[in-house]
Structures are given as C-alpha cells and as structure tokens.
Amino acid sequence: MGSPGLSNLATATRVGLSEPISTGGPTEFDVIKTRELEKFLVDAGLYESHEEAIRREEVLGRLDQIVKKWVKNISRVKGFNEQLVQEANAKIFTFGSYRLGVHGPGADIDTLCVGPQHASRNEDFFGELHRMLAEMPEVQELHPVPDAHVPVMRFKFSGVSIDLLYANVALWVIPEDLDISQESILQNVDEQTVRSLNGCRVTDQILRLVPNIQTFRTTLRCMRLWAKRRGVYSNVTGFLGGINWALLVARICQLYPNALPSMLVSRFFRLYNLWRWPNPVMLCPIQEGSLGLPFWDPRRNYKDRLHLMPIITPAYPCMNSSYNVSTSTLRVMMEEFQRGNEICEAIEASKRSWDSLFEPFAFFEAYKNYLQMDIASETEDDSRNWKGWVESRIRLLTLKIERDTSGVLQCHPHPGEFSDKSKPPFHHSYFMGLRRKQGTNPQEGEQFDIRLTVEDFKFDVYAYAFWKPTMWIHICHVKKKDIPNFVFPGGVRPSHSTKSTKLRGSNSPQAGMSRKKRKQDEINRGVSLTDSSSTAVSGSDASLVDETRAKRQFKADVVDTLSNVRYPENLSEHGPEDAGIVESTSPTRPSSAAYGSSLSTSTMEKPLIEQSLQPIISHQGSLDLLDGLGGVQLKSEVQDNDMDQEIKPSEFTTEQALGAATEEEGSSSFSKIQQNLDLEELEPLELTASTAVASTSTHVPAQKPLIRFSFTSLAKATSNSA
C-alpha cells in the first residue's frame, strides 16, 4: 500500500500512445494528501486481512489441483495411453480485480481454466468437472451457466466465491509456463474460447502498460470506491464496470508516470471532465493482427460508429469495453466527472476533505419522477435466472425511452436492486430516475406517453427463452414522495432532503444561467470565477494574470503532446471511401471549473485541451488518432445542442443502437404527444394487456401502467426547487 516517495520516480520512457503530459515528481503536499487518501481507503475497509489473503491462495492452489486431476481423468476415459495421461495438464489463471490487486474483502475471484483441445467445454467442463465439484463438500452454491455470452461456472469453494471460465486451446499438452498473452494462443479456437481468454489477456496487458503498478492499484481502488458510491459502477445497466475503470485509470497513470495517487485522482477528473467523447481512450495502438479476428474499427464496422464512450481494450483483438453506455448514462457520468473535478480542486486548495469526494449519491432525492420495476418468481433457481435476464435488459429500456422521446426524456437506472422484506421471497425491485433533457424547452401541456415503450420492453423481457408462467414483471411510475421505504437504509425515509442533491449539479436552469454568465465573464476578464479567490479581481490582478497564463499553457501544451499520435501504418491502406466517418468541428466549451484552481505544478505539465486536434480519420487517408481531447464528432450520431453542446444521438442512431442491442426488433413503438392539462407528471393508470404477452400465458399479471410525462409541471417543479 505504500506509495513512492519523492525519490522513487518512474523512468521517463514513453508508455502508451503518447509522451506523458508531465514527468514531474510529487510535492510534499502530494505526499501528505496521498497519506490522507490511503488512510481513508483503509478506514473504508477496502483491504482484506492477511488471513483472508492466505485462504484465497489456498483455494486457488486446491482448484488448480482439481482441474489437473480432471483433465487426466477425461484423457484416460478418451482412450489415451498412460504416458499421455500423465502428460495431460490444465492450468488456472486469474484475472479481474484479483489479478489487478484491487479486490476487497469477500470479493469473488475471476478464474480461467485453460485445457487441451481434446477436453471439450460442454461435455467435459460442464459435464465431468461439474460432477466432480458437486461431489466435494467444500463446494457450495454450484451454478453452471453454459449458455452465457462467456460461459461460466459459479460456486463457493471453502467460502470463497469463484467464477470459473474455460478455454480449450489448440494444444495437446498445456505447459506449466504457458504464456496466454501470445497471439498464437488464439489460433484455431472458437469464439467462446477467445472471449474467455480475453479477460486474462487484457488484465495482464494493463499491468504491463502502467508505469508504476502500486500507484495504479491505489488510484484504481479510489476510483472503484468512488464509482460505487456515486452509483456509476455497473456495466450491465449502461455505466462502467471494473475493466472500464481500470483502463481509464491506467491512461491517467501513463500521462502522469511519476504522480502519486492523490494527484492521479485529481487529474483523472480534470482530464475526463474535458474529454471529447466519442474519441476513444486507448492504452496502446490498435493492432490489426494476423488471425483475421474482428477488432474495433469505426471505419469498417458501422456498429462501432454508434459507440458513445469507447474505451478500448489493449490486447488483440482490441474491442470497445463500454458499448453499453447510452446517452443518458453518459450524461450522468459526465456530471459526476465535473463534480469530482470541482471537489478535487477544493481539496487541492485545502477547502475540502476526501470524505466529500466519496459522499454517496442520494439517488432517491435527485429526481421528481421514477419508474419502478418489480419482478418475481417462485424458486431460487428461477429467481436467479429471471433476475439475471431482466438485469441484462434494463439498458434496453433506457435506449427505447431515448428513442421514443427523441432523446428528450433521459433515464438514470439505479445500478442495484432492492427487496421488500414484507413480500414473498424472490421478489426484487429496480428503479430508474427520469428527467427532461437539459436545454429543451417544455411546451405548455406537452406530455410524452411511453405506455407503448414500456409494453415493447416487457414484450422483449417475456421473450426469455427459459420463461415460465411463474416469472413476471410489472412496471409503474412513482413520484419521489411515494418512493417505498424499503429502499432506504433500515427502511427509514430520510427526514429531510439536501438541496444540493435534489437536482444533479447542472440540472437547474438557474445554475445553467449562472454557468453561462461565468463563462462570458471568463472570456471578458480571462479568469475563472469558480474559485472564490478569483472574484476579488482588484486586489489580486498579478496572481490572476499568472494563473491565466498557466492555464493557457496547460491547455496548449497538451496539443503538442497528443496531436502527433497515429494509427499503426497497417491500417492506412483503407482509402477515402472508408475514411469519411469523422469530421473535425469546433470544440465544446468546458466549464470554467475544469482547469483546476491549483496550478502549482502547471509549469511541469504538458497538459490539457480545449483546442481541436487532428481528426481521427482524415479525408486524405492519413489516419490520425486522437488521444481524446479534441472537438471531434461522428457525423451520424453527435450533434451540437445549444450553449452546453451536449452529445445528442439522432433518432436514426438510437434506433440502430437498439437494433444492435437486441436480436430482433419488432415494429417501433413511438411515443404519442398528448395535450391534456389534467394529467399528472407521470400518471399511472390501467393499461390493457399486450396481446403478445397475453397470448403467452394467463399467469402474467394484469397490472399495466399508463406512464405519461408532463414537461410543464416538471419545469415548474424544477424552477421551484432551484
């Protein structure tokens, strides 16, 4: 856990796509703040005990012995001679948070079993190995999932949770020193094996590409805790998962190779608060490879152009790890990046503590309207399967609402589920916050009817291949004042709400006007007014001029650092017909808080950005790669939107994204705009049963909500709250 001191600096050799922004070492202030941060992490209980660490190692050793015995048994059954049976081998690898060294107490261990080509997945791994594990008394809660996108066997071994994947590679004998990072390991294997190997290959590559593993681990622990407390840690619901946060942190470590965790956390928020999505975050150049496997390439793959927040994995085949992100969830994360940046500036100015950065987000105080999704089944196995299926579909509801309201109604899905103890077991509830898109003008009496959208989503959910009549789902609207008590800690509703969390930072119209005024003042006066010390211009003109110059240098130097990054030459063979995807535009103006208030190290940094960089793909055929901070837009999916210039997908783009996310999309169910001043903001009424659902089973509940959204009443409520 110890961080490097002033003398323990990383070498200045280039790691990643570009030269570092700054190779300067930490100051005494950074050392103090890092010690405070590490103490905060210890007090938060993020580190496991020595005894638990030893127990995990023992479990992994025992599991490795079991798979070695298993592969010998099946080799003997398949008729191999005794010499080949003795040479038969399998090996256990780890990946994910455990391999990265950022796991906490009670966390599961992601493991991969690599076996020979004659040990099949379905018959041998999910057959014989499953039988062996089921007979062991130390193995509990054994659940095979052979039909998953990445087939997995989940169980507890001596109390330690294990997720076990399988890859049978094109080798007759698995050597103990097998290096799965080599591209040749992917030869002559099926897609499931490629996906299973990818987790280990990506994790190992991340550790190779960061300049200081210990500072990377501490910083990643911070960001994982922050993301969980702020409600943006969930890949399945459209936010970012563990691998996504690891890649974002690793890029910051590359750009500041000698920084301590306190500075890396601050630079994380400063950089990604200004990032020009959909420019990709990448740790290394994309390699085309020699095996012909598909990789992320928006020039050739149309679906890749629809990704809003590309975070590219560094191991071949390089893929976008964050394809689940939607316009709504990206908006939530960008607001959180801005909040984090502002708090880190205050921490650097000794005005705030680390506790304020990690303050949990009051989800049920943030919005006026919510959707409540209740699901239930009758048995434990059915509940686990039904729950997993519904959770994997929730992001589709976000996409459908965005599509059917032309992006005006935005969603914030809560990443976890809740259970009401007063109801029968196997009953779970999910919630989704709703709000009108910032910058849109509500029309008098205008309402969006999303009944058909909800029915369309439920029809997709009921299309579950293993659906049973005892599995059901019900969706209805609830207002903030009617949120059930079981969602609150201890089942007790908070006595009062905090105005700062009622509306997410930038939602208030007054706050938006204030920001615009500040931006204009900054243009006129050349100084940020977000810092309280900046308002007293007459008494500190000289310091303000120095600060302004430092900020300008901070922005300008990054262009020199990042603008000369290129795609590998082997991708440049594609001519203009593949290149006309991306065009350069004037950059979005970031908030005044984005540049930070502590610029004592700015003279050492080669910093950040507001200026356009070269386009990702030029029309002349040269393939310039943005390292991320220029004003670049995908023609078909991003449009400027008023003063804030938010990312806005066109209807066409959103529909295509839905098409990519679902196997088969029926006829589109677009919202109906109704003029009815008597309707409440989201009024739940009875809706006739969908014929498609009703024909499936008579056991489907008859409750059907009418969900309508009144922009007039919401606007008034928002204005009053602000």
Side-chain angles (χ1 to χ4, degrees):
M1 192 179 70
S3 297
L6 291 172
S7 60
N8 186 17
L9 302 180
T11 60
T13 57
R14 170 171 165 173
V15 180
L17 285 170
S18 62
E19 297 295 332
I21 288 177
S22 171
T23 57
T27 64
E28 290 293 343
F29 181 81
D30 293 330
V31 174
I32 293 173
K33 287 300 178 183
T34 294
R35 288 172 182 166
E36 294 176 357
L37 182 58
E38 290 176 337
K39 182 180 184 302
F40 179 86
L41 298 181
V42 172
D43 294 342
L46 295 190
Y47 295 91
E48 67 180 356
S49 65
H50 180 65
E51 293 75 15
E52 185 175 358
I54 292 177
R55 184 167 68 253
R56 287 177 182 273
E57 293 177 0
E58 292 174 347
V59 166
L60 289 174
R62 181 79 177 96
L63 184 60
D64 191 61
Q65 294 174 355
I66 292 172
V67 297
K68 289 180 181 342
K69 179 180 179 181
W70 159 72
V71 79
K72 293 182 187 301
N73 289 346
I74 62 172
S75 297
R76 186 175 288 110
V77 170
K78 292 178 183 290
F80 288 81
N81 61 48
E82 194 60 28
Q83 179 181 352
L84 293 178
V85 169
Q86 295 306 315
E87 292 177 352
N89 190 31
K91 185 172 174 59
I92 291 292
F93 295 85
T94 61
F95 62 100
S97 63
Y98 184 83
R99 177 71 179 94
L100 290 173
V102 296
H103 62 287
D108 60 359
I109 305 179
D110 295 312
T111 58
L112 169 70
C113 173
V114 177
Q117 60 183 3
H118 63 272
S120 67
R121 177 178 293 103
N122 292 332
E123 180 182 351
D124 298 323
F125 179 76
F126 285 107
E128 178 62 19
L129 180 58
H130 177 272
R131 184 192 62 78
M132 291 175 60
L133 292 173
E135 294 175 353
M136 296 180 178
E138 58 265 49
V139 175
Q140 303 91 27
E141 301 179 20
L142 179 61
H143 302 301
V145 191
D147 299 317
H149 185 66
V150 182
V152 61
M153 194 140 51
R154 296 189 172 99
F155 54 93
K156 285 188 176 180
F157 198 110
S158 299
V160 178
S161 297
I162 301 290
D163 284 358
L164 181 61
L165 312 183
Y166 181 63
N168 55 327
V169 298
L171 297 173
W172 288 106
V173 177
I174 304 300
E176 278 298 310
D177 60 351
L178 178 67
D179 183 5
I180 61 175
S181 67
Q182 298 298 315
E183 184 180 312
S184 58
I185 198 71
L186 302 177
Q187 287 182 328
N188 302 318
V189 299
D190 58 23
E191 292 183 4
Q192 292 173 318
T193 292
V194 172
R195 291 194 289 265
S196 298
L197 287 166
N198 197 44
C200 288
R201 288 165 51 81
V202 169
T203 304
D204 290 346
Q205 189 71 350
I206 290 175
L207 294 176
R208 293 188 188 99
L209 290 173
V210 293
N212 188 309
I213 292 178
Q214 188 56 49
T215 56
F216 164 74
R217 284 173 171 165
T218 302
T219 307
L220 182 55
R221 282 186 186 273
C222 292
M223 298 315 306
R224 285 165 58 94
L225 175 63
W226 172 84
K228 290 175 181 178
R229 290 194 174 181
R230 299 304 297 175
V232 291
Y233 190 100
S234 174
N235 184 282
V236 70
T237 55
F239 294 107
L240 302 182
I243 190 62
N244 310 125
W245 293 111
L247 291 169
L248 292 181
V249 170
R251 187 62 187 130
I252 299 298
C253 292
Q254 290 181 340
L255 295 175
Y256 298 90
N258 295 319
L260 293 185
S262 62
M263 181 179 178
L264 291 172
V265 170
S266 174
R267 295 306 182 265
F268 179 97
F269 290 112
R270 179 181 297 184
L271 188 73
Y272 293 121
N273 183 45
L274 297 175
W275 198 268
R276 299 292 179 263
W277 307 106
N279 293 320
V281 172
M282 303 165 61
L283 301 185
C284 60
I286 293 179
Q287 299 297 329
E288 190 168 1
S290 60
L291 302 180
L293 297 176
F295 58 92
W296 189 80
D297 185 358
R299 298 160 305 154
R300 296 188 291 187
N301 306 323
Y302 179 77
K303 290 181 181 179
D304 292 346
R305 307 179 204 174
L306 305 177
H307 296 163
L308 299 179
M309 194 180 188
I311 303 173
I312 310 304
T313 57
Y316 175 79
C318 299
M319 303 300 292
N320 175 26
S321 62
S322 53
Y323 55 86
N324 280 349
V325 173
S326 68
T327 304
S328 294
T329 54
L330 176 59
R331 178 265 306 174
V332 171
M333 288 186 283
M334 290 303 295
E335 290 176 359
E336 287 297 334
F337 290 158
Q338 179 178 345
R339 171 190 176 272
N341 182 57
E342 293 171 352
I343 292 179
C344 284
E345 289 175 0
I347 292 174
E348 290 178 345
S350 298
K351 297 178 181 179
R352 302 284 291 272
S353 65
W354 289 113
D355 301 68
S356 58
L357 178 65
F358 296 94
E359 178 184 349
F361 175 58
F363 178 80
F364 293 105
E365 295 292 329
Y367 302 100
K368 294 288 185 182
N369 299 281
Y370 297 83
L371 288 182
Q372 178 176 343
M373 182 187 307
D374 297 312
I375 66 170
S377 56
E378 289 190 354
T379 68
E380 183 178 356
D381 287 342
D382 288 348
S383 177
R384 182 174 55 254
N385 296 333
W386 183 235
K387 180 170 170 285
W389 168 255
V390 172
E391 288 177 352
S392 71
R393 304 287 96 184
I394 289 178
R395 68 184 182 91
L396 291 183
L397 179 56
T398 300
L399 291 174
K400 289 175 184 291
I401 292 176
E402 290 176 352
R403 175 198 67 187
D404 292 358
T405 62
S406 301
V408 175
L409 187 59
Q410 294 184 327
C411 311
H412 180 180
H414 190 282
E417 82 277 0
F418 300 88
S419 296
D420 187 353
K421 303 300 182 183
S422 65
K423 293 186 177 181
F426 316 126
H427 184 285
H428 305 279
S429 298
Y430 301 86
F431 291 85
M432 179 179 292
L434 299 174
R435 79 169 186 187
R436 180 175 52 84
K437 186 184 190 309
Q438 180 188 353
T440 57
N441 296 320
Q443 300 179 13
E444 185 68 24
E446 183 184 50
Q447 295 157 348
F448 277 69
D449 183 352
I450 57 172
R451 288 177 297 177
L452 295 180
T453 304
V454 170
E455 287 303 308
D456 186 26
F457 168 74
K458 290 169 64 177
F459 180 77
D460 288 343
V461 170
Y462 279 122
Y464 179 44
F466 303 100
W467 180 83
K468 297 180 180 179
T470 55
M471 299 174 177
W472 61 266
I473 179 173
H474 172 62
I475 303 175
C476 65
H477 157 252
V478 290
K479 296 182 180 179
K480 182 172 69 173
K481 62 183 179 63
D482 298 322
I483 292 292
N485 290 336
F486 65 81
V487 306
F488 300 105
V492 179
R493 182 183 297 271
S495 57
H496 64 277
S497 60
T498 304
K499 285 189 177 181
S500 61
T501 58
K502 275 189 176 181
L503 295 173
R504 261 188 188 272
S506 60
N507 295 352
S508 167
Q510 286 82 352
M513 291 299 295
S514 176
R515 280 199 315 278
K516 294 175 184 177
K517 185 177 184 301
R518 283 202 306 269
K519 292 176 183 177
Q520 188 60 45
D521 289 341
E522 290 166 20
I523 295 173
N524 296 336
R525 301 166 65 178
V527 21
S528 172
L529 300 183
T530 49
D531 191 11
S532 58
S533 63
S534 301
T535 58
V537 177
S538 59
S540 56
D541 288 340
S543 62
L544 290 174
V545 170
D546 292 340
E547 183 178 340
T548 302
R549 289 175 179 172
K551 290 179 180 179
R552 288 174 179 171
Q553 183 65 31
F554 181 79
K555 292 184 289 181
D557 286 346
V558 143
V559 178
D560 298 334
T561 301
L562 305 180
S563 61
N564 59 359
V565 183
R566 306 281 179 175
Y567 270 116
E569 291 301 324
N570 60 357
L571 296 183
S572 62
E573 61 190 24
H574 303 284
E577 66 276 10
D578 296 318
I581 299 171
V582 181
E583 62 179 0
S584 178
T585 65
S586 58
T588 304
R589 180 166 51 223
S591 65
S592 59
Y595 299 117
S597 59
S598 175
L599 294 172
S600 59
T601 60
S602 292
T603 56
M604 295 186 298
E605 298 184 22
K606 289 182 178 180
L608 283 156
I609 45 259
E610 191 184 35
Q611 173 179 335
S612 296
L613 301 180
Q614 295 296 323
I616 293 178
I617 302 172
S618 71
H619 292 277
Q620 286 74 23
S622 63
L623 305 177
D624 298 328
L625 170 64
L626 276 177
D627 193 34
L629 300 162
V632 175
Q633 297 178 329
L634 298 186
K635 286 182 179 178
S636 62
E637 61 176 332
V638 181
Q639 302 172 355
D640 288 341
N641 180 48
D642 59 70
M643 289 296 293
D644 290 330
Q645 294 187 12
E646 294 182 350
I647 295 178
K648 176 185 178 182
S650 64
E651 291 184 18
F652 175 77
T653 298
T654 310
E655 291 178 36
Q656 293 298 326
L658 269 169
T662 56
E663 294 180 358
E664 192 171 341
E665 188 69 65
S667 58
S668 300
S669 303
F670 290 97
S671 60
K672 297 179 180 178
I673 301 178
Q674 300 184 359
Q675 305 294 327
N676 188 343
L677 299 178
D678 295 330
L679 270 181
E680 300 243 4
E681 295 172 19
L682 281 170
E683 182 179 357
L685 300 174
E686 289 298 308
L687 181 67
T688 56
S690 169
T691 55
V693 175
S695 62
T696 306
S697 172
T698 58
H699 295 277
V700 178
Q703 294 175 314
K704 308 293 177 182
L706 167 62
I707 304 175
R708 294 178 179 174
F709 192 76
S710 170
F711 291 123
T712 303
S713 55
L714 177 66
K716 292 178 180 177
T718 303
S719 177
N720 294 334
S721 299

